[in-house]
Amino acid sequence: MEELLTQRGVTNVTPRCGNFLELDPADAANAALTHFMLDPSCSSSGMSANPTAAGDAEAIAKLTANQEAVVRHAMRFPAARVVVYSTCSVYAAENEAVVRRVLAAEPGFELAPALEFWERRGVAGGEGGLAGEDAAKVVRTALEDGTIGFFLAKFVRRGGGGGGGGGGGGG
């Protein structure tokens, strides 16, 4: 990663190797962190023309619990303003459902439109979907788009500034 950043001339990113969930939001060294790009482990169901069925409910449940924990952890950093969540999954359980639970648990954050030029948006309604307004703010891709299955949501702190936790409790 360091080599790639150097090749691209990026000077405002410091790569770290470790468990993100162990990074302390209260540590003074992390006080200025404002933007988070999160790509936690997922089923990788979007990486195949014939994705594996979501039949392994236990495995999907473990993945989604970790995905939600990672997003909510980023929101606890005092200066966090933007938290971007992505997966290479086609399953609503790992995408819209995670976003829906995070929004319910973290009222200090809301969705902002992501990649507005992209036509395909999120799943609305139903058990795994988002409210229509929120579904229109997230991005979904599919093989017929000429790319892998991919999902992206952009959370922003309400009021635009840092300060305080994400609005939710631990976990």
Side-chain angles (χ1 to χ4, degrees):
M1 178 59 79
E2 290 177 3
E3 183 179 329
L4 181 62
L5 293 171
T6 300
Q7 288 174 352
R8 303 287 191 261
V10 176
T11 59
N12 64 342
V13 174
T14 304
R16 298 182 187 176
C17 183
N19 182 340
F20 177 65
L21 292 173
E22 294 175 2
L23 194 62
D24 183 2
D27 187 323
N30 304 322
L33 298 177
T34 59
H35 290 67
F36 296 81
M37 174 59 204
L38 308 172
D39 188 29
S41 297
C42 73
S43 66
S44 299
S45 59
M47 302 291 288
S48 169
N50 300 307
T52 305
D56 189 348
E58 185 177 333
I60 296 295
K62 286 180 181 178
L63 287 168
T64 60
N66 180 67
Q67 292 158 352
E68 183 177 347
V70 167
V71 175
R72 294 186 65 202
H73 185 67
M75 292 173 172
R76 288 186 180 82
F77 286 77
R81 291 188 322 217
V82 177
V83 176
V84 176
Y85 169 64
S86 69
T87 72
C88 56
S89 174
V90 297
Y91 300 144
E94 294 183 89
N95 298 327
E96 290 87 355
V98 168
V99 169
R100 188 180 65 238
R101 286 193 305 275
V102 168
L103 289 170
E106 301 292 342
F109 282 82
E110 62 188 338
L111 285 176
L115 300 177
E116 294 180 82
F117 63 88
W118 197 263
E119 188 174 329
R120 189 180 306 272
R121 308 315 285 181
V123 173
E127 184 178 325
L130 291 166
E133 177 181 298
D134 284 338
K137 294 177 182 175
V138 301
V139 172
R140 224 176 214 289
T141 68
L143 293 174
E144 56 264 25
D145 295 324
T147 184
I148 63 170
F150 175 82
F151 178 84
L152 181 88
K154 179 181 177 184
F155 298 92
V156 295
R157 188 179 297 276
R158 291 182 187 274

